[in-house]
Amino acid sequence: MDSDSLYRVQQEDLPKLERLLCKCFALDPLYQELIPDEQVRKRLMPELFDCDLTEFYENCEIFADSPELNGVLVVSDETEPYNLLKYYFTEVQASLRTDGYLIKEDPSLKTFFNFMVGRDYLNSSWTDQLHQERRMHIIYLAVDPQMQHHGIAARLVEEAVCYAEKNGLMISLETHNPKNVDFYRQFGFKVYGILEKHFTLKQYCLVREIQSKPDGQES
């Protein structure tokens, strides 16, 4: 994904972005389910997001509304070329670091077990059912709680939608907050399915179908 209006997050921005994600997802239903102990969650989330962002910076595109990072959009564009060996190396490295953090912060292994059982909530494997290579996946959409209701989330989604329409792409994403479903419906997303596996938590899997052909391509 490319954007002329959003700020492309730089490597030196990652610590600030990590703090933003911790604020945004502190009460997220997924993390409350996976890490029910509040103190363990507070210790773990910075380490988990640090690990995620290291992987995403290498393999995905990270945009913000501005250099102040009031809101962030992390996307994986399946049409972009990538180094397969580098991709899997980064992914395995991130997975090993994550497992190490889970065991260190909760030696009882309860949190580690929750992450193993709840892996389908984390790996977006449901998108394999879409059988669509011309697709981009929104991994994170987050806005600083103090900056919400200022149109930042809408601006970030609109930019992704504009890019998808211009390039003939489907967009997929998941949310664990039912209140978010109506927000995404405003942009043409529909519920593809609802995952409820091993937990009472519901994951809403959303897609926005391809709306147009890429520039220069006939129907």
Side-chain angles (χ1 to χ4, degrees), residues 51 110 113 115 174 178 194 205 208:
C51 191
K110 291 180 180 179
F113 177 75
F115 270 70
E174 58 263 346
I194 299 176
C205 305
R208 187 180 190 276

Side-chain angles (χ1 to χ4, degrees), residues 127-186:
T127 57
D128 293 341
Q129 304 170 40
L130 299 174
H131 304 292
Q132 177 55 261
E133 294 182 357
R134 297 203 58 80
R135 179 178 60 84
M136 57 188 291
H137 187 74
I138 296 179
I139 300 172
Y140 284 138
L141 173 69
V143 176
D144 188 323
Q146 295 180 326
M147 294 299 295
Q148 292 179 1
H149 310 297
H150 287 75
I152 295 174
R155 180 187 168 201
L156 293 169
V157 175
E158 285 171 353
E159 190 70 12
V161 166
C162 182
Y163 178 84
E165 289 190 344
K166 182 179 179 181
N167 293 276
L169 304 179
M170 173 189 282
I171 309 178
S172 57
L173 61 86
E174 58 263 346
T175 181
H176 307 94
N177 189 336
K179 295 180 180 179
N180 293 338
V181 175
D182 285 340
F183 169 77
Y184 287 114
R185 281 193 172 120
Q186 300 175 58

Side-chain angles (χ1 to χ4, degrees), residues 23-98:
K23 289 173 63 176
C24 293
F25 290 97
L27 300 177
D28 183 78
L30 174 62
Y31 289 98
Q32 288 185 317
E33 188 78 43
L34 295 177
I35 319 173
D37 187 296
E38 183 178 0
Q39 295 306 313
V40 174
R41 191 162 64 247
K42 286 181 178 179
R43 294 196 305 268
L44 257 176
M45 288 185 72
E47 296 178 323
L48 295 178
F49 284 127
D50 173 63
C51 191
D52 279 351
L53 290 173
T54 300
E55 178 186 358
F56 295 153
Y57 187 77
E58 293 291 334
N59 297 330
C60 304
E61 290 83 43
I62 308 177
F63 297 96
D65 63 310
S66 69
E68 283 70 40
L69 273 64
N70 297 309
V72 63
L73 175 75
V74 181
V75 300
S76 173
D77 187 343
E78 301 299 316
T79 65
E80 290 287 334
Y82 64 94
N83 184 312
L84 188 61
L85 182 61
K86 180 182 178 183
Y87 173 83
Y88 282 114
F89 176 77
T90 305
E91 191 175 60
V92 169
Q93 190 177 46
S95 179
L96 291 173
R97 285 179 61 198
T98 298

